[in-house]
Each structure stands twice: as C-alpha cells, then as structure tokens.
Amino acid sequence: AIAALISPYRADRQRLAETFGDRFAEVFVRADRTTCETRDPKGHYRKVREGTLGQFTGFDSPYEAPETPALVLDTDAAGIEENVERLRAFIRTRYAS
C-alpha cells in the first residue's frame, strides 16, 4: 500500500520504519512553500496567511524533513510523469518478487 500523508516529525516516521521494517520506505515528495501554495485547491495556505487557520505544518507547526529518505521526488525539478515513473522504478527494484 502507498500512503500519501504529511508526517511532520522524524520520530513518528522512525517508529513506522521500526514497526514495518523492510516493508516501509520513506519517500520524500519535495515541494517548496510557493509551489504548495499554487497547488492548494482548498485554500488552506490563503487561510493561514489570513490568520483563520492555525497549526499548519510548515508555518506555525514544525516540519522535520527526512534525513535519509529511500527516495526523493522533487516536484519543482521534475513533472508528474517523471516522478511517477521514478516511483514505479523504485517499487519494482525494491519490492520485486
């Protein structure tokens, strides 16, 4: 299963890695704040800037970037198709039976 989520703390991700062992792979989908704001269909970033939404990761709530992710998908440097193919190749290589 692939779970796409914001997990802001390294310690939480480390617990998952310890729990799931080799079945767990941390994939860091990198996007700078400006990119995230332009891709925000729900207007969360606007609400944060207006002061109507608090405890938002990367603004007034911390985010600890991965130190050694198994894969980095840089969405500022590559498009969707390229990143999807990189993820597929990673899965094929790491989890091939």
Side-chain angles (χ1 to χ4, degrees):
I2 296 174
L5 48 98
I6 297 171
S7 181
Y9 300 108
R10 285 186 197 109
D12 292 340
R13 297 189 303 265
Q14 182 60 37
R15 277 192 291 281
L16 287 170
E18 291 167 1
T19 300
F20 292 100
D22 290 342
R23 296 175 296 161
F24 177 83
E26 183 175 20
V27 176
F28 180 35
V29 180
R30 179 181 295 146
D32 66 28
R33 185 182 293 176
T34 301
T35 300
C36 291
E37 287 190 55
T38 63
R39 297 176 180 166
D40 179 21
K42 295 182 180 179
H44 286 64
Y45 286 86
R46 178 183 45 78
K47 292 175 185 174
V48 168
R49 292 198 182 281
E50 293 170 348
T52 60
L53 179 63
Q55 296 298 303
F56 197 76
T57 301
F59 278 86
D60 56 356
S61 189
Y63 177 75
E64 300 169 349
E67 293 177 335
T68 55
L71 176 65
V72 176
L73 300 175
D74 190 338
T75 67
D76 294 325
I80 293 171
E81 294 81 12
E82 182 179 341
N83 279 317
V84 167
E85 186 48 45
R86 289 188 64 226
L87 179 59
R88 285 181 179 151
F90 172 79
I91 292 168
R92 282 191 300 266
T93 301
R94 182 162 175 151
Y95 299 104
S97 12

